[in-house]
Amino acid sequence: RFAMIGLLQRVSEAQVTVDGQVIGSIADGLLVFLAVEAGDTSTQADRLIERLVGYRVFPDPAGRMNLSLLDTRGGLLLVPQFTLAAGTDKGMRPSFGSAAPPEHGRALFDRAATRARLQLGNRVATGQFGAHMQVRLTNDGPVTFWLRVPPVERKL
């Protein structure tokens, strides 16, 4: 059973570098490592972004996690990371049979980034699909969540 995966971390800063150049950075906000599995769809990408921008992981005045990126006007750094789709149930080496083929993964990652920009504008930065990246972050809390968006069940 496939599900689009987002590993999100609340950060006070994060940046991604490729070939020694910073290609994306944010201050306060969310760093999200995003994995696309073989059966994932555009509907799942849209739903993942909807959840990410509305996910309440930032403290309100009482200190409770009650505010979202929409409330705080924080940044979103999306980083493609197919290794999150790895199978690790057996053996001593991960398998990547459930990861989407690169062209499918890139298309859904790009769709997710576009959808995020529609809601957050220039507060969205991204890593580079298929590149070797260095990611630097300061996790605030630490606060880290694993989000999975399963396919939509069709009722007959």
Side-chain angles (χ1 to χ4, degrees):
R1 186 107 182 142
F2 298 110
M4 189 168 281
I5 301 165
L7 178 68
L8 68 95
Q9 298 184 52
R10 187 177 74 191
V11 298
S12 56
E13 65 174 338
Q15 73 176 29
V16 62
T17 303
V18 175
D19 294 329
Q21 298 294 315
V22 175
I23 63 165
S25 65
I26 61 169
D28 293 321
L30 294 177
L31 165 63
V32 178
F33 294 102
L34 193 146
V36 178
E37 294 189 292
D40 291 345
T41 66
S42 58
T43 301
Q44 287 168 271
D46 295 352
R47 177 67 176 137
L48 181 64
I49 293 303
E50 178 185 335
R51 290 194 69 199
L52 289 173
V53 300
Y55 214 61
R56 298 182 305 163
V57 298
F58 297 94
D60 65 14
R64 293 190 179 106
M65 282 194 232
N66 241 350
L67 303 177
S68 70
L69 281 178
L70 294 172
D71 301 318
T72 64
R73 309 231 2 109
L76 175 63
L77 177 54
L78 290 174
V79 176
Q81 187 173 353
F82 82 96
T83 61
L84 286 174
T88 59
D89 293 342
K90 51 187 177 173
M92 298 300 285
R93 189 164 144 199
S95 64
F96 297 102
S98 68
E103 61 279 356
H104 182 63
R106 180 187 308 269
L108 289 185
F109 178 81
D110 290 347
R111 180 181 179 99
T114 298
R115 298 292 286 200
R117 286 187 179 104
L118 287 174
Q119 294 190 53
L120 301 175
N122 64 358
R123 294 182 288 144
V124 177
T126 65
Q128 182 179 331
F129 195 92
H132 183 91
M133 297 173 279
Q134 290 77 45
V135 179
R136 184 174 64 81
L137 67 127
T138 302
N139 191 315
D140 180 27
V143 173
T144 302
F145 292 96
W146 177 272
L147 291 180
R148 293 182 63 114
V149 178
V152 175
E153 294 290 329
R154 292 194 176 143
K155 296 183 181 182
L156 299 175

